[in-house]
Amino acid sequence: MAFLKLIMFLKDYIKDVFGAIKSLATGMKRTGYYFTHHKEIITQQYPDNRETLHLPERFKGEVVMPHDENNEHRCTGCTACELACPNGTIKVVTKFDITPDGKKKKAIDKLVYHLELCTMCNLCIEACPSDAIKMAQTFEHSVFDRAQLTKVLNKPGSKIMDGVE
Amino acid sequence: MYRETQIVSDVAKTPLTGEGTFTINVGPQHPATHGVLHLVITLNGETILNIEPHLGYIHRSIEKMCESLTYRQFIYVTSRMDYLSAHINNHACALCVEKGMQIEIPSRAQVIRVLMDELTRIASHELWWGAMAMDVGAFTPFFHAFRERETINDIMEETCGARLTMNYMVPGGVMYDIHPNFQKRVKDFLQLYKRKIHEYDELVTGNIIFQNRMKGVGVLTAEDVISYGCTGPVARGSGVSSDIRKLYPYEIYDKLEFDEVLETAGDSFARYLIRLREMNQSIRIVEQLIDNIPEGDFQAKTKAVLKLPKGEFYQRVETARGELGVYIVSEGGTTPYRIKFRSPGFSNLSILNHMVKGSKIGDLIAAMGTLDLVIPDIDR
Ligand code: SF4
Ligand code: SF4
C-alpha cells in the first residue's frame, strides 16, 4: 500500500516537474520570438521623433484663439467661457468701444488664460457661442517661470471680425 | 501539487507589540504599491500580524469640490478618481444627472458610451495584467500589455482628445461625435487583440512560478467578500455575482449578449482569471456594437444651465474595479448640495488585512496586486 502511494507520488512529482519545465519553455519561446523579430518592437523614440509625431486634431493641448490675416478674432466678450470653466482659468476683461454711430459696444480688452490651472476639459470651447476659441495640439508646456504660463489669448491690436455678434 | 501557503492561524492571539514584533511602513512612495498607498505592517519575523492602510496622502477632497461646481463642471473631476476607468466614472455621473433631470439620451449616444466603457475596461485590465506580472517579478509582460493598451489610448486620443482624463460623457450624451476613423481603428484593435491574447497565457498564466505564487494565496470566502462589501472581480473571484451590468442594467446592457464571469476558488489566481476572461467578454460587447452604431444625434438637447429638482439621486455602474455609486443630494439649485461617491477601491482595500493576515510578507504584494487598487479612487 505504502509502495503504491510512493509510486503515485513519484508519478505526480515527475509530471509536475516536466509540466513546469514546459511552461517555462513556452514563455521563453515567446520572449525569444520578440528577441529575434525587431520589426514588432513598437516603442517610440520621443523626443527624437518630434518631426514625425502627429497628434490627432482633437487632442486637447492648450486653449488658443485663432486670428485671421487681418488680425481679427471672433470673440465678443460674452464671458460664457469664463462661466463654464470649472477652475477659473479664463478671465475675460471687457472694455467699451465707441462705434462709428456713437453707440457704446462691449468688446474684449484681454482674454487672460492661465495655462497652469487648465485641466483641458473642453467645457469653455463647448460653451463659446461664436467659436472664438479652440484647442491647440501643443503639449510641451514646461517653462522656467510660472508667470510665463499666464497668457493673453487675443493678440495686441486685434479686433473683432465683422459680422460676429 | 503546489504547496499550500502556510497560514498562521493564531495571529489573532499574538500581541501586536512586545518582543519579536516590529512595524514597517510600505509607502506612501514605494515601488511595489503602484500608487501612493501607505501601509503600516506589523510583523513577527516574516509573518504578517496586522496591516493598517493609512489614507490621506492623495486626498483632494473631490466630493467637497463637486459641491461648488455645476452639474456640467463636476464631471471632469471624477476622471481623477479612478483614472483607469475615467470614462466609466464620467458615465456614472452623467447618468445620475440625467436620472434627476429625466433626460432621454439618443440611442447613438448610448451605444458610443457603452463602446467607450468597454474599451476602457479592456485598457484597465490590460494595465492591471502588466502591473500584476511586475508585482511578482516579471517585467516583460508589462510591455506586452502596453502594446494593446496603447492602441486603445490612441483611439481615445483621436475621438475624445485625451488619453486618460477624457471628460467625454456629458449630461445628455457625449461631447462630440466619434471620429470618422473610430470604427476602423477599433476593428484593427480587435484583430490585434485576438492575434496576441494567447501570448498572455503563454507568458504568465501557464507559468509555473506565477501559478505557485497565486494559487491558494489570499483566499477569500464568499462570506468575507460580502461582509466587507467587495465588488467587481474581487467578489466574482469568490463566486459572488456582483456585475451591475447584469443585476441593475443601465444604458443598453440588458440588450447585449455577454456573460458574467465567475470563479469559485477565491484565491489570487481566481481573481487573475476573472479579469482575463472579462476582457474577452468586453471584446464580445464591442464586436456586437461596433458595426451597429445607430445614426442620429450624439447629444440630447439640454438647457445651458442644468438644475436638478430637489431630491436625492443614486446611480451605480460597473467600473473595471467594481461598483461605483454616485449619490447626489440636490436642493434644486445649479450645484449639488452634497455628493458622495461609493468607490469600489475603498471597499476592496478594506479586506486586505483580513486577506493576508497570518501569511508571509512575500505574499502581500502578490495578493494586493489582485485587488487592483487605484489609490486616487480610494483616497478621493
Ligand atoms: S479647457 Fe476647461 S479648464 Fe481649461 S480653460 Fe477651458 S473650461 Fe477652463
Ligand atoms: S471666447 Fe467665446 S465664450 Fe469666451 S468671451 Fe469670447 S465669445 Fe464669449
Side-chain angles (χ1 to χ4, degrees), chain A residues 56 58-60, chain B residues 87 115-121 123 149-164 166 168 176 182 185:
Chain A
R58 282 188 193 172
F59 180 77
K60 297 182 272 196
Chain B
H87 265 313
L115 270 171
M116 289 299 180
D117 277 8
E118 293 310 316
L119 287 174
T120 311
R121 197 182 313 279
R149 183 168 176 271
E150 202 62 14
T151 326
I152 298 181
N153 274 357
D154 285 346
I155 294 171
M156 297 293 179
E157 197 175 20
E158 210 174 27
T159 290
C160 319
R163 300 164 71 80
L164 217 53
M166 296 90 169
Y168 184 57
Y176 11 68
F182 178 75
R185 294 192 66 156

Side-chain angles (χ1 to χ4, degrees), chain A residues 4-128:
Chain A
L4 209 69
K5 250 192 183 160
L6 186 72
I7 294 282
M8 289 303 282
F9 172 77
L10 276 180
K11 209 175 127 200
D12 275 357
Y13 186 77
I14 290 167
K15 213 170 107 198
D16 271 3
V17 168
F18 278 100
I21 292 172
K22 190 165 160 251
S23 81
L24 294 179
T26 324
M28 283 312 285
K29 205 175 117 207
R30 187 46 54 198
T31 314
Y33 174 82
Y34 282 104
F35 195 68
T36 50
H37 289 69
H38 292 285
K39 281 220 178 65
E40 302 214 22
I41 293 171
I42 47 146
T43 41
Q44 294 189 7
Q45 301 294 333
Y46 179 80
D48 294 339
N49 66 345
R50 276 217 187 94
E51 284 80 43
T52 54
L53 189 67
H54 293 299
L55 290 170
E57 67 269 30
R58 282 188 193 172
F59 180 77
K60 297 182 272 196
E62 158 185 29
V63 177
V64 291
M65 183 183 284
H67 287 62
D68 68 1
E69 59 278 8
N70 305 328
N71 203 14
E72 290 175 338
H73 55 73
R74 299 175 61 88
C75 176
T76 57
C78 68
T79 69
C81 50
E82 187 180 328
L83 291 172
C85 180
N87 320 310
T89 307
I90 293 181
K91 186 92 191 81
V92 182
V93 184
T94 51
K95 61 177 180 190
F96 283 99
D97 276 351
I98 311 290
T99 52
D101 44 341
K103 281 199 203 112
K104 271 190 177 175
K105 194 171 166 242
K106 202 162 118 185
I108 59 161
D109 186 15
K110 271 190 251 167
L111 196 141
V112 186
Y113 170 63
H114 297 270
L115 178 56
E116 76 270 30
L117 299 179
C118 182
T119 54
M120 320 298 169
C121 65
N122 213 40
L123 290 173
C124 51
I125 286 140
E126 290 279 296
C128 179

Side-chain angles (χ1 to χ4, degrees), chain B residues 142-334:
Chain B
F142 197 68
F143 294 102
H144 287 255
F146 263 58
R147 177 185 54 202
E148 274 84 69
R149 183 168 176 271
E150 202 62 14
T151 326
I152 298 181
N153 274 357
D154 285 346
I155 294 171
M156 297 293 179
E157 197 175 20
E158 210 174 27
T159 290
C160 319
R163 300 164 71 80
L164 217 53
T165 49
M166 296 90 169
N167 190 32
Y168 184 57
M169 317 262 179
V170 293
V174 292
M175 197 174 254
Y176 11 68
D177 206 355
I178 50 172
H179 195 273
N181 287 345
F182 178 75
Q183 275 159 305
K184 190 183 150 288
R185 294 192 66 156
V186 171
K187 280 181 205 159
D188 286 350
F189 163 73
L190 291 177
Q191 270 184 1
L192 174 81
Y193 180 86
K194 287 195 178 136
R195 221 172 51 237
K196 301 286 186 189
I197 189 66
H198 68 99
E199 290 182 0
Y200 288 44
D201 292 339
E202 282 173 20
L203 277 171
V204 175
T205 317
N207 189 303
I208 184 78
I209 302 168
F210 182 74
Q211 290 199 358
N212 279 352
R213 294 219 36 199
M214 302 300 271
K215 282 188 180 165
V217 176
V219 180
L220 298 173
T221 62
E223 288 80 26
D224 294 341
V225 162
I226 292 170
S227 58
Y228 280 89
C230 297
T231 48
V234 178
R236 293 197 280 279
S238 302
V240 177
S241 161
S242 65
D243 196 333
I244 306 295
R245 294 174 295 171
K246 282 274 184 214
L247 300 177
Y248 305 94
Y250 51 98
E251 299 287 20
I252 49 167
Y253 278 114
D254 47 350
K255 299 194 200 89
L256 295 171
E257 269 179 45
F258 66 101
D259 301 327
E260 175 172 7
V261 187
L262 284 175
E263 289 275 338
T264 47
D267 58 357
S268 295
F269 198 63
R271 291 190 283 277
Y272 170 86
L273 288 181
I274 292 270
R275 292 206 178 83
L276 271 193
R277 285 164 50 197
E278 244 176 40
M279 283 203 273
N280 292 338
Q281 296 302 326
S282 293
I283 290 281
R284 245 175 98 185
I285 297 178
V286 173
E287 273 177 340
Q288 284 170 46
L289 292 178
I290 190 65
D291 281 323
N292 302 319
I293 305 179
E295 295 295 319
D297 292 338
F298 56 88
Q299 208 184 93
K301 294 264 174 299
T302 46
K303 294 200 202 81
V305 179
L306 300 180
K307 273 191 185 161
L308 250 64
K310 204 170 153 94
E312 299 173 7
F313 307 98
Y314 187 71
Q315 174 68 43
R316 41 176 132 199
V317 299
E318 179 80 14
T319 75
R321 269 149 215 87
E323 173 186 339
L324 171 76
V326 179
Y327 176 60
I328 300 182
V329 182
S330 168
E331 292 276 275
T334 54

